Structure formats: structure tokens, C-alpha cells
Amino acid sequence: MTRKTTDIITSTSLENKKQAEENKKKLISIFETVILCGHQQIALRGKNETGKIADGSMFTSSTIQNEIIYLCFNLIQENVVNRIKNAGFFTIFADKTQDISRYKQLTLGIRYVDDPSADSVFIGEDFLEFAHVKDVTTSALATTIM
């Protein structure tokens, strides 16, 4: 009876490849969820942020979570900018508020007419971002918007 043997390097390489594929599937699922929440303007975090997403997962550190959120934000914002470029008309709206930490912030959004050449008119509205501001004078806010 012949026994098939594999060396340690091949065995380790196969295991690493298998683990990389599993991690890739997990990351794709995480990115899809963050993008869906971003498009629907659903908050990702609630009142309790202390729980783990999954045991032993390396994607749960706050640094990694923030990097994923930032990457998805850039993708969503790029899609919004493309819709605005194709729009016939658009307007920027802004509102000055304070967040829970009492930092002054400017909420920026945009309204646009999507494809004005179509038979029906669709008016879209998208959130752009929160911008922290120190100076809330009219000229300072105008500079922040521009």
C-alpha cells in the first residue's frame, strides 16, 4: 500500500490559499453590506459597539472597520457625483448642526433632476457628507461648501 505524502511547504501553501479564499468571501459580504447601508442611508452602528462581529475574525478592529467604511464612502460618493454630472439641474443644500460631542458640523447634500430628457422627471436627493467646521460665519461656511 502506497501512502501519499506532501511536504510541509505544499501543505502550508494549500492551507493559506484556502484561508485567503474564506477571508475574501467574508470581506465581499462585509463590503456589500456597508455599501447597501450607505445607499439606503442606514446607520452602521448603534448604541452598543462593544460586541464582536465574529469570533477570531481579523476584520473587526475599529481601524479596519473605518477603512472599509471610508472605501465604501468613496465609491458611493463617486456614484453620486456621476449622477450629478449627468443631471440637467442640481442644487447644493447645507445645514449647520452640532453632533453629540458638541462639534459644529455642516451637513451637505444635493438635489438634482435625473435625466431631464426623459418622459418622467425624477428628483433625486443624496447626502454628501458631514464637514466639521470651527467658524460658522457665512463666508467660512461658503468656503467649506466650495
Side-chain angles (χ1 to χ4, degrees):
M1 174 167 163
T2 350
R3 213 169 117 185
K4 186 177 178 183
T5 60
T6 57
D7 63 9
I8 189 80
I9 294 172
T10 305
S11 178
T12 304
S13 178
L14 291 173
E15 188 61 35
N16 286 345
K17 191 173 186 178
K18 180 181 172 186
Q19 184 67 47
E21 286 300 317
E22 288 177 20
N23 289 345
K24 183 178 177 181
K25 287 178 185 177
K26 289 177 185 177
L27 269 176
I28 289 170
S29 177
I30 291 169
F31 271 89
E32 287 173 346
T33 303
V34 172
I35 290 170
L36 173 69
C37 290
H39 279 298
Q40 298 298 323
Q41 299 179 3
I42 300 170
L44 291 173
R45 297 180 175 141
K47 293 181 180 179
N48 183 1
E49 299 177 21
T50 59
K52 287 187 175 185
I53 294 173
D55 291 332
S57 178
M58 62 184 181
F59 309 120
T60 59
S61 76
S62 60
T63 303
I64 297 296
Q65 288 176 17
N66 288 335
E67 286 181 26
I68 290 171
I69 291 167
Y70 183 73
L71 289 170
C72 293
F73 164 75
N74 285 336
L75 178 68
I76 292 167
Q77 194 172 47
E78 185 177 311
N79 289 337
V80 170
V81 169
N82 288 334
R83 283 197 300 271
I84 294 164
K85 285 180 179 178
N86 295 327
F89 309 97
F90 70 91
T91 182
I92 296 171
F93 63 89
D95 188 19
K96 175 185 62 92
T97 60
Q98 282 187 352
D99 67 6
I100 196 164
S101 305
R102 297 195 177 254
Y103 288 107
K104 295 173 186 153
Q105 62 185 9
L106 190 64
T107 305
L108 295 170
I110 193 146
R111 284 189 193 99
Y112 54 93
V113 178
D114 192 26
D115 194 8
S117 63
D119 292 335
S120 61
V121 176
F122 171 75
I123 298 175
E125 181 175 301
D126 287 307
F127 167 79
L128 292 177
E129 70 177 303
F130 292 114
H132 287 282
V133 292
K134 293 182 181 179
D135 186 359
V136 292
T137 62
T138 306
S139 60
L141 293 178
T143 301
T144 302
I145 292 170
M146 298 310 241

PDB file of all heavy atoms in Angstrom, residues 68-86:
ATOM      1  N   ILE A  68     -12.802  50.206   5.824  1.00  0.00           N
ATOM      2  CA  ILE A  68     -13.835  49.667   4.942  1.00  0.00           C
ATOM      3  C   ILE A  68     -14.923  50.704   4.703  1.00  0.00           C
ATOM      4  O   ILE A  68     -15.357  50.917   3.563  1.00  0.00           O
ATOM      5  CB  ILE A  68     -14.420  48.365   5.535  1.00  0.00           C
ATOM      6  CG1 ILE A  68     -13.380  47.242   5.478  1.00  0.00           C
ATOM      7  CG2 ILE A  68     -15.698  47.951   4.803  1.00  0.00           C
ATOM      8  CD1 ILE A  68     -13.766  45.987   6.221  1.00  0.00           C
ATOM      9  N   ILE A  69     -15.361  51.373   5.759  1.00  0.00           N
ATOM     10  CA  ILE A  69     -16.388  52.401   5.630  1.00  0.00           C
ATOM     11  C   ILE A  69     -15.896  53.527   4.729  1.00  0.00           C
ATOM     12  O   ILE A  69     -16.629  54.011   3.855  1.00  0.00           O
ATOM     13  CB  ILE A  69     -16.795  52.940   7.022  1.00  0.00           C
ATOM     14  CG1 ILE A  69     -17.549  51.856   7.795  1.00  0.00           C
ATOM     15  CG2 ILE A  69     -17.644  54.204   6.898  1.00  0.00           C
ATOM     16  CD1 ILE A  69     -17.722  52.155   9.267  1.00  0.00           C
ATOM     17  N   TYR A  70     -14.659  53.948   4.900  1.00  0.00           N
ATOM     18  CA  TYR A  70     -14.102  55.030   4.088  1.00  0.00           C
ATOM     19  C   TYR A  70     -14.032  54.635   2.613  1.00  0.00           C
ATOM     20  O   TYR A  70     -14.367  55.421   1.728  1.00  0.00           O
ATOM     21  CB  TYR A  70     -12.717  55.421   4.610  1.00  0.00           C
ATOM     22  CG  TYR A  70     -12.107  56.578   3.877  1.00  0.00           C
ATOM     23  CD1 TYR A  70     -12.581  57.880   4.058  1.00  0.00           C
ATOM     24  CD2 TYR A  70     -11.073  56.388   2.969  1.00  0.00           C
ATOM     25  CE1 TYR A  70     -12.035  58.943   3.370  1.00  0.00           C
ATOM     26  CE2 TYR A  70     -10.513  57.442   2.275  1.00  0.00           C
ATOM     27  CZ  TYR A  70     -10.999  58.724   2.483  1.00  0.00           C
ATOM     28  OH  TYR A  70     -10.470  59.772   1.781  1.00  0.00           O
ATOM     29  N   LEU A  71     -13.590  53.413   2.324  1.00  0.00           N
ATOM     30  CA  LEU A  71     -13.524  52.943   0.940  1.00  0.00           C
ATOM     31  C   LEU A  71     -14.913  52.902   0.301  1.00  0.00           C
ATOM     32  O   LEU A  71     -15.102  53.326  -0.847  1.00  0.00           O
ATOM     33  CB  LEU A  71     -12.877  51.557   0.880  1.00  0.00           C
ATOM     34  CG  LEU A  71     -11.384  51.490   1.153  1.00  0.00           C
ATOM     35  CD1 LEU A  71     -10.932  50.038   1.296  1.00  0.00           C
ATOM     36  CD2 LEU A  71     -10.606  52.186   0.045  1.00  0.00           C
ATOM     37  N   CYS A  72     -15.887  52.405   1.044  1.00  0.00           N
ATOM     38  CA  CYS A  72     -17.254  52.344   0.528  1.00  0.00           C
ATOM     39  C   CYS A  72     -17.833  53.740   0.358  1.00  0.00           C
ATOM     40  O   CYS A  72     -18.544  54.016  -0.620  1.00  0.00           O
ATOM     41  CB  CYS A  72     -18.135  51.503   1.450  1.00  0.00           C
ATOM     42  SG  CYS A  72     -17.681  49.753   1.455  1.00  0.00           S
ATOM     43  N   PHE A  73     -17.529  54.632   1.283  1.00  0.00           N
ATOM     44  CA  PHE A  73     -17.974  56.025   1.177  1.00  0.00           C
ATOM     45  C   PHE A  73     -17.464  56.652  -0.115  1.00  0.00           C
ATOM     46  O   PHE A  73     -18.202  57.302  -0.839  1.00  0.00           O
ATOM     47  CB  PHE A  73     -17.483  56.825   2.387  1.00  0.00           C
ATOM     48  CG  PHE A  73     -17.553  58.314   2.211  1.00  0.00           C
ATOM     49  CD1 PHE A  73     -18.765  58.982   2.268  1.00  0.00           C
ATOM     50  CD2 PHE A  73     -16.402  59.056   1.969  1.00  0.00           C
ATOM     51  CE1 PHE A  73     -18.825  60.361   2.091  1.00  0.00           C
ATOM     52  CE2 PHE A  73     -16.450  60.417   1.793  1.00  0.00           C
ATOM     53  CZ  PHE A  73     -17.672  61.075   1.857  1.00  0.00           C
ATOM     54  N   ASN A  74     -16.184  56.428  -0.421  1.00  0.00           N
ATOM     55  CA  ASN A  74     -15.612  56.984  -1.648  1.00  0.00           C
ATOM     56  C   ASN A  74     -16.311  56.436  -2.890  1.00  0.00           C
ATOM     57  O   ASN A  74     -16.580  57.174  -3.835  1.00  0.00           O
ATOM     58  CB  ASN A  74     -14.109  56.702  -1.728  1.00  0.00           C
ATOM     59  CG  ASN A  74     -13.318  57.585  -0.801  1.00  0.00           C
ATOM     60  OD1 ASN A  74     -13.758  58.667  -0.426  1.00  0.00           O
ATOM     61  ND2 ASN A  74     -12.149  57.125  -0.411  1.00  0.00           N
ATOM     62  N   LEU A  75     -16.629  55.155  -2.886  1.00  0.00           N
ATOM     63  CA  LEU A  75     -17.321  54.539  -4.013  1.00  0.00           C
ATOM     64  C   LEU A  75     -18.729  55.118  -4.176  1.00  0.00           C
ATOM     65  O   LEU A  75     -19.133  55.485  -5.282  1.00  0.00           O
ATOM     66  CB  LEU A  75     -17.393  53.019  -3.821  1.00  0.00           C
ATOM     67  CG  LEU A  75     -18.134  52.240  -4.893  1.00  0.00           C
ATOM     68  CD1 LEU A  75     -17.358  52.289  -6.206  1.00  0.00           C
ATOM     69  CD2 LEU A  75     -18.337  50.806  -4.452  1.00  0.00           C
ATOM     70  N   ILE A  76     -19.455  55.233  -3.083  1.00  0.00           N
ATOM     71  CA  ILE A  76     -20.811  55.784  -3.135  1.00  0.00           C
ATOM     72  C   ILE A  76     -20.778  57.240  -3.563  1.00  0.00           C
ATOM     73  O   ILE A  76     -21.573  57.681  -4.409  1.00  0.00           O
ATOM     74  CB  ILE A  76     -21.517  55.619  -1.768  1.00  0.00           C
ATOM     75  CG1 ILE A  76     -21.779  54.136  -1.486  1.00  0.00           C
ATOM     76  CG2 ILE A  76     -22.817  56.418  -1.718  1.00  0.00           C
ATOM     77  CD1 ILE A  76     -22.187  53.840  -0.067  1.00  0.00           C
ATOM     78  N   GLN A  77     -19.851  58.002  -3.015  1.00  0.00           N
ATOM     79  CA  GLN A  77     -19.752  59.420  -3.363  1.00  0.00           C
ATOM     80  C   GLN A  77     -19.404  59.593  -4.848  1.00  0.00           C
ATOM     81  O   GLN A  77     -19.930  60.479  -5.514  1.00  0.00           O
ATOM     82  CB  GLN A  77     -18.728  60.118  -2.476  1.00  0.00           C
ATOM     83  CG  GLN A  77     -18.814  61.625  -2.553  1.00  0.00           C
ATOM     84  CD  GLN A  77     -17.925  62.306  -1.540  1.00  0.00           C
ATOM     85  OE1 GLN A  77     -16.767  61.945  -1.394  1.00  0.00           O
ATOM     86  NE2 GLN A  77     -18.464  63.280  -0.847  1.00  0.00           N
ATOM     87  N   GLU A  78     -18.567  58.729  -5.373  1.00  0.00           N
ATOM     88  CA  GLU A  78     -18.223  58.774  -6.798  1.00  0.00           C
ATOM     89  C   GLU A  78     -19.467  58.513  -7.657  1.00  0.00           C
ATOM     90  O   GLU A  78     -19.684  59.181  -8.677  1.00  0.00           O
ATOM     91  CB  GLU A  78     -17.152  57.732  -7.097  1.00  0.00           C
ATOM     92  CG  GLU A  78     -16.638  57.760  -8.516  1.00  0.00           C
ATOM     93  CD  GLU A  78     -15.524  56.747  -8.730  1.00  0.00           C
ATOM     94  OE1 GLU A  78     -14.586  56.711  -7.920  1.00  0.00           O
ATOM     95  OE2 GLU A  78     -15.634  55.989  -9.713  1.00  0.00           O
ATOM     96  N   ASN A  79     -20.316  57.568  -7.229  1.00  0.00           N
ATOM     97  CA  ASN A  79     -21.569  57.298  -7.947  1.00  0.00           C
ATOM     98  C   ASN A  79     -22.502  58.501  -7.911  1.00  0.00           C
ATOM     99  O   ASN A  79     -23.143  58.832  -8.911  1.00  0.00           O
ATOM    100  CB  ASN A  79     -22.274  56.067  -7.368  1.00  0.00           C
ATOM    101  CG  ASN A  79     -21.555  54.783  -7.682  1.00  0.00           C
ATOM    102  OD1 ASN A  79     -20.799  54.699  -8.640  1.00  0.00           O
ATOM    103  ND2 ASN A  79     -21.770  53.771  -6.861  1.00  0.00           N
ATOM    104  N   VAL A  80     -22.586  59.158  -6.760  1.00  0.00           N
ATOM    105  CA  VAL A  80     -23.424  60.355  -6.628  1.00  0.00           C
ATOM    106  C   VAL A  80     -22.911  61.458  -7.542  1.00  0.00           C
ATOM    107  O   VAL A  80     -23.688  62.108  -8.257  1.00  0.00           O
ATOM    108  CB  VAL A  80     -23.481  60.838  -5.153  1.00  0.00           C
ATOM    109  CG1 VAL A  80     -24.134  62.206  -5.043  1.00  0.00           C
ATOM    110  CG2 VAL A  80     -24.218  59.823  -4.295  1.00  0.00           C
ATOM    111  N   VAL A  81     -21.607  61.673  -7.558  1.00  0.00           N
ATOM    112  CA  VAL A  81     -21.018  62.708  -8.411  1.00  0.00           C
ATOM    113  C   VAL A  81     -21.314  62.421  -9.880  1.00  0.00           C
ATOM    114  O   VAL A  81     -21.651  63.333 -10.645  1.00  0.00           O
ATOM    115  CB  VAL A  81     -19.494  62.833  -8.153  1.00  0.00           C
ATOM    116  CG1 VAL A  81     -18.825  63.687  -9.209  1.00  0.00           C
ATOM    117  CG2 VAL A  81     -19.243  63.410  -6.764  1.00  0.00           C
ATOM    118  N   ASN A  82     -21.245  61.160 -10.294  1.00  0.00           N
ATOM    119  CA  ASN A  82     -21.567  60.810 -11.682  1.00  0.00           C
ATOM    120  C   ASN A  82     -23.028  61.092 -12.009  1.00  0.00           C
ATOM    121  O   ASN A  82     -23.344  61.557 -13.107  1.00  0.00           O
ATOM    122  CB  ASN A  82     -21.221  59.346 -11.964  1.00  0.00           C
ATOM    123  CG  ASN A  82     -19.733  59.112 -12.044  1.00  0.00           C
ATOM    124  OD1 ASN A  82     -18.962  60.015 -12.355  1.00  0.00           O
ATOM    125  ND2 ASN A  82     -19.312  57.895 -11.745  1.00  0.00           N
ATOM    126  N   ARG A  83     -23.942  60.816 -11.070  1.00  0.00           N
ATOM    127  CA  ARG A  83     -25.365  61.135 -11.294  1.00  0.00           C
ATOM    128  C   ARG A  83     -25.557  62.637 -11.436  1.00  0.00           C
ATOM    129  O   ARG A  83     -26.335  63.101 -12.272  1.00  0.00           O
ATOM    130  CB  ARG A  83     -26.221  60.590 -10.147  1.00  0.00           C
ATOM    131  CG  ARG A  83     -26.461  59.111 -10.229  1.00  0.00           C
ATOM    132  CD  ARG A  83     -27.620  58.657  -9.357  1.00  0.00           C
ATOM    133  NE  ARG A  83     -27.454  58.937  -7.953  1.00  0.00           N
ATOM    134  CZ  ARG A  83     -26.868  58.120  -7.075  1.00  0.00           C
ATOM    135  NH1 ARG A  83     -26.377  56.974  -7.488  1.00  0.00           N
ATOM    136  NH2 ARG A  83     -26.769  58.437  -5.813  1.00  0.00           N
ATOM    137  N   ILE A  84     -24.830  63.410 -10.624  1.00  0.00           N
ATOM    138  CA  ILE A  84     -24.945  64.876 -10.680  1.00  0.00           C
ATOM    139  C   ILE A  84     -24.422  65.398 -12.017  1.00  0.00           C
ATOM    140  O   ILE A  84     -25.023  66.280 -12.628  1.00  0.00           O
ATOM    141  CB  ILE A  84     -24.188  65.519  -9.502  1.00  0.00           C
ATOM    142  CG1 ILE A  84     -24.851  65.145  -8.183  1.00  0.00           C
ATOM    143  CG2 ILE A  84     -24.117  67.031  -9.655  1.00  0.00           C
ATOM    144  CD1 ILE A  84     -23.996  65.391  -6.967  1.00  0.00           C
ATOM    145  N   LYS A  85     -23.319  64.829 -12.486  1.00  0.00           N
ATOM    146  CA  LYS A  85     -22.755  65.264 -13.765  1.00  0.00           C
ATOM    147  C   LYS A  85     -23.725  65.010 -14.914  1.00  0.00           C
ATOM    148  O   LYS A  85     -23.768  65.773 -15.874  1.00  0.00           O
ATOM    149  CB  LYS A  85     -21.430  64.541 -14.040  1.00  0.00           C
ATOM    150  CG  LYS A  85     -20.276  65.043 -13.214  1.00  0.00           C
ATOM    151  CD  LYS A  85     -19.003  64.274 -13.549  1.00  0.00           C
ATOM    152  CE  LYS A  85     -17.835  64.785 -12.737  1.00  0.00           C
ATOM    153  NZ  LYS A  85     -16.596  64.009 -13.026  1.00  0.00           N
ATOM    154  N   ASN A  86     -24.511  63.947 -14.821  1.00  0.00           N
ATOM    155  CA  ASN A  86     -25.477  63.614 -15.868  1.00  0.00           C
ATOM    156  C   ASN A  86     -26.810  64.326 -15.690  1.00  0.00           C
ATOM    157  O   ASN A  86     -27.672  64.249 -16.564  1.00  0.00           O
ATOM    158  CB  ASN A  86     -25.710  62.098 -15.915  1.00  0.00           C
ATOM    159  CG  ASN A  86     -24.463  61.352 -16.332  1.00  0.00           C
ATOM    160  OD1 ASN A  86     -23.668  61.854 -17.120  1.00  0.00           O
ATOM    161  ND2 ASN A  86     -24.280  60.157 -15.796  1.00  0.00           N
TER     162      ASN A  86
END
